[in-house]
C-alpha cells in the first residue's frame, strides 16, 4: 500500500505528530518558518519523551530536508505557499492567533478550495467542527478567535479536531529541531463526518499505534475516537489547570500548582465545566474524572503556554477561556468561578497592551 502524504502546519508542537506519523511509514511535510526549516534541515527532528521521574527517556530522531517529503521516515520542509495537490490530509498545530496572518489565511483558503481534510490539534476548536455540535450557536463564540474568518470557507464535513492532551515544549527556543514531551498522552481525534477522510484517519491511527521502537510501543498515539464530543472533554482541564496557571498578578505558575494549590476549588471548577460539556452532548463514557486529571497534572511542572506568553508581554493569545465561557452561556450555564478566570486573563492582556503603547 502506498504511503500517505501528510502536511503538518507548525514546527513547534507539530513536530510530535509529524515524527510519529513519519516513523509509521508515511511521507510527512512540515510547514514552518525559514529559520525553522534551516535548523531542521541541518539537524533533523528529535522528539524526547520525559520519564515520570523527570529524566529524559526515549528519543525519536528523523532526518529532514527542504521541499515536500517523498521519502518514508524523512520530514519535508515547506513554506505556506506549498503546492497542496499531492497531500492526502492536513494536520494543523498552529496557535490560533497565527491564523489571522495573511499568508496563513491564504493557505487555509487554498486548503478549503482543494477540499483537503484537516485535523486541528488545538485547544481552541475550529468553528466548522463546533458547527457539528447541534446545540451550539456559533455567533457569540466568534469573538474568542483572532482568525475566525479563515474557518468560514471550510466544509464542516472535512474538518475534525483532537483533544491534544500530550504536553510538549521547546526547552531551548533557539533549537527548533528539538521537542521535549513532558506528558505523552494520546491524541484522541473526533471522527470526520465524511467517510473518505475518516478512512485515512483510521489508517494513520492504526499505523502509528503499530510502530515499535526496539520492540516497545510509544506514547502519543493517534486515536480515531468514535465520539465527536471527545475534544470538548479537555475543557475542564484547560480551565482548571492551563488558564489558572495565570495568577491574579499575571505571573505564571505551573499547571501542577494551579490544580493543587486549592484542591476543593479546582474540583468545583472542573465539575462545573464538565457540566457544560455534558449539556453539549458528551456522554459519561467520554469524560475524564477529576481525580485522574489531578494525578496527571502533578507531573506538569511548567506553566501553561498561555501563562508563559502572557508573562512575556503577549497582547494576542488563544482565548480558550472565552470560547468556553461563551459556550457555557449558550447552554444557560453561569459560573462566577469561570468568569473570574476570564477576567484574570482579560486584565493581564489589558496590562500588556498598555505597556506596549507606553513603550
Amino acid at each position: 500500500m502506498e504511503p500517505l502524504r501528510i502536511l503538518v502546519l507548525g514546527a513547534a508542537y507539530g513536530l510530535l505528530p509529524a515524527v510519529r506519523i513519519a516513523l509509521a511509514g508515511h511521507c510527512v511535510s512540515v510547514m514552518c518558518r525559514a529559520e525553522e526549516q534551516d535548523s531542521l534541515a541541518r539537524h533533523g527532528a528529535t522528539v524526547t519523551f520525559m520519564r515520570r521521574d523527570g529524566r529524559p527517556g526515549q528519543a525519536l530522531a528523523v532526518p529532514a530536508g527542504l521541499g515536500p517529503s517523498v521519502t518514508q521516515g524523512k520530514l519535508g520542509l515547506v513554506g505556506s505557499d506549498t503546492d497542496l495537490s499531492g497531500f492526502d490530509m492536513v494536520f494543523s498545530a498552529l496557535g490560533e492567533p497565527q491564523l489571522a496572518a495573511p499568508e496563513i489565511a491564504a493557505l487555509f483558503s487554498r486548503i478549503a478550495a482543494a477540499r483537503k481534510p484537516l485535523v486541528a490539534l488545538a485547544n481552541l476548536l475550529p468553528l466548522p467542527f463546533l458547527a457539528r455540535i447541534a446545540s451550539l450557536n456559533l455567533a457569540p463564540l466568534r469573538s474568542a478567535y483572532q482568525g475566525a474568518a479563515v474557518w468560514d470557507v471550510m466544509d464542516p464535513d472535512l474538518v475534525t479536531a483532537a483533544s491534544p492532551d500530550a504536553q510538549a515544549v521547546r526547552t531551548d527556543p533557539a533549537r527548533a529541531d528539538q521537542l521535549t514531551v513532558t506528558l505523552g498522552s494520546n491524541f484522541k481525534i473526533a471522527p470526520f463526518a465524511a467517510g473518505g477522510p475518516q478512512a485515512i484517519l483510521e489508517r494513520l491511527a492504526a499505523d502509528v499505534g503499530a510502530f515499535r521502537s526496539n520492540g516497545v510501543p510509544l506514547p502519543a498515539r493517534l486515536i480515531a475516537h468514535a465520539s465527536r464530543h471527545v475534544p470538548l472533554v479537555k475543557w475542564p482541564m484547560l480551565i482548571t489547570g492551563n488558564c489558572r496557571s495565570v495568577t491574579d498578578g499575571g505571573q505564571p505558575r505551573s499547571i501542577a500548582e494551579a490544580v493543587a494549590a486549592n484542591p476543593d476549588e479546582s474540583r468545583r471548577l472542573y465539575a462545573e465545566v464538565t457540566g457544560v460539556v455534558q449539556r453539549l452532548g458528551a456522554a459519561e463514557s467520554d469524560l475524564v474524572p477529576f481525580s485522574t486529571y489531578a494525578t496527571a497534572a502533578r507531573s506538569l511542572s511548567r506553566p501553561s503556554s498561555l501563562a508563559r506568553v502572557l508573562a512575556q508581554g503577549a497582547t494576542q493569545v488563544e482565548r480558550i477561556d472565552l470560547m468556553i465561557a461563551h459556550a457555557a452561556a449558550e447552554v444557560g450555564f453561569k459560573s462566577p468561578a469561570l468568569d473570574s478566570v476570564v477576567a484574570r486573563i482579560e486584565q493581564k492582556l489589558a496590562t500588556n497592551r498598555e505597556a506596549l503603547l507606553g513603550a
Side-chain angles (χ1 to χ4, degrees):
M1 189 178 294
E2 287 293 315
L4 294 167
R5 293 189 64 195
I6 305 300
L7 176 63
V8 175
L9 309 182
Y13 192 74
L15 278 191
L16 177 53
V19 167
R20 291 292 273 119
I21 295 170
L23 289 175
H26 298 288
C27 297
V28 181
S29 300
V30 180
M31 186 226 63
C32 51
R33 299 189 301 269
E35 62 270 23
E36 293 172 320
Q37 291 185 34
D38 180 64
S39 179
L40 286 161
R42 284 188 290 117
H43 303 290
T46 301
V47 173
T48 302
F49 293 91
M50 300 299 289
R51 302 178 190 272
R52 291 185 182 276
D53 62 6
R55 293 183 298 138
Q58 176 77 51
L60 305 177
V62 298
L66 298 177
S69 174
V70 295
T71 305
Q72 294 168 267
K74 181 179 180 179
L75 298 181
L77 304 169
V78 299
S80 60
D81 59 348
T82 188
D83 181 4
L84 299 172
S85 59
F87 292 109
D88 298 296
M89 183 168 284
V90 179
F91 282 72
S92 176
L94 296 172
E96 197 279 331
Q98 293 175 275
L99 272 58
E103 65 275 15
I104 301 301
L107 172 61
F108 270 70
S109 292
R110 292 196 298 115
I111 291 170
R115 296 192 61 77
K116 299 298 180 181
L118 183 141
V119 179
L121 307 178
N123 290 324
L124 198 64
L125 299 177
L127 288 166
F129 173 76
L130 290 174
R132 293 166 54 197
I133 308 299
S135 61
L136 198 53
N137 176 18
L138 297 185
L141 274 68
R142 292 181 67 89
S143 64
Y145 296 76
Q146 299 292 324
V150 305
W151 297 116
D152 293 342
V153 295
M154 304 291 283
D155 183 346
D157 286 355
L158 299 180
V159 177
T160 194
S163 179
D165 293 340
Q167 303 287 314
V169 295
R170 283 179 181 167
T171 53
D172 182 353
R175 292 296 300 268
D177 56 291
Q178 296 181 355
L179 190 72
T180 299
V181 181
T182 54
L183 182 65
S185 302
N186 297 321
F187 295 98
K188 292 176 281 191
I189 306 174
F192 281 98
Q198 183 62 20
I200 294 173
L201 176 61
E202 290 175 3
R203 179 183 168 191
L204 283 175
D207 290 349
V208 169
F211 177 79
R212 299 290 184 270
S213 176
N214 298 320
V216 178
L218 292 171
R221 293 180 294 136
L222 306 182
I223 305 296
H225 206 279
S227 171
R228 72 178 186 274
H229 292 92
V230 69
L232 280 65
V233 172
K234 196 176 179 185
W235 286 8
M237 308 177 199
L238 293 170
I239 291 296
T240 306
N242 295 49
C243 292
R244 289 167 70 239
S245 191
V246 181
T247 65
D248 285 331
Q251 292 304 306
R253 60 179 174 178
S254 71
I255 294 175
E257 184 182 354
V259 175
N262 189 330
D264 290 339
E265 179 182 277
S266 295
R267 185 184 298 275
R268 283 194 300 271
L269 185 55
Y270 193 93
E272 288 179 350
V273 181
T274 296
V276 173
V277 172
Q278 287 178 300
R279 290 191 190 189
L280 289 169
E284 189 72 30
S285 58
D286 295 333
L287 304 174
V288 176
F290 173 75
S291 58
T292 301
Y293 169 64
T295 298
R298 292 173 191 162
S299 65
L300 301 179
S301 59
R302 298 174 181 270
S304 66
S305 58
L306 171 68
R308 291 198 305 271
V309 298
L310 281 172
Q312 293 163 5
T315 59
Q316 293 183 333
V317 296
E318 282 192 332
R319 293 304 307 272
I320 304 152
D321 58 309
L322 205 53
M323 176 190 68
I324 295 171
H326 285 326
E330 284 302 299
V331 296
F333 192 88
K334 181 69 176 175
S335 168
L338 176 56
D339 291 343
S340 71
V341 171
V342 173
R344 188 178 304 130
I345 294 171
E346 292 276 13
Q347 179 57 54
K348 180 56 179 169
L349 282 168
T351 299
N352 289 352
R353 288 167 186 147
E354 289 172 5
L356 183 64
L357 290 172

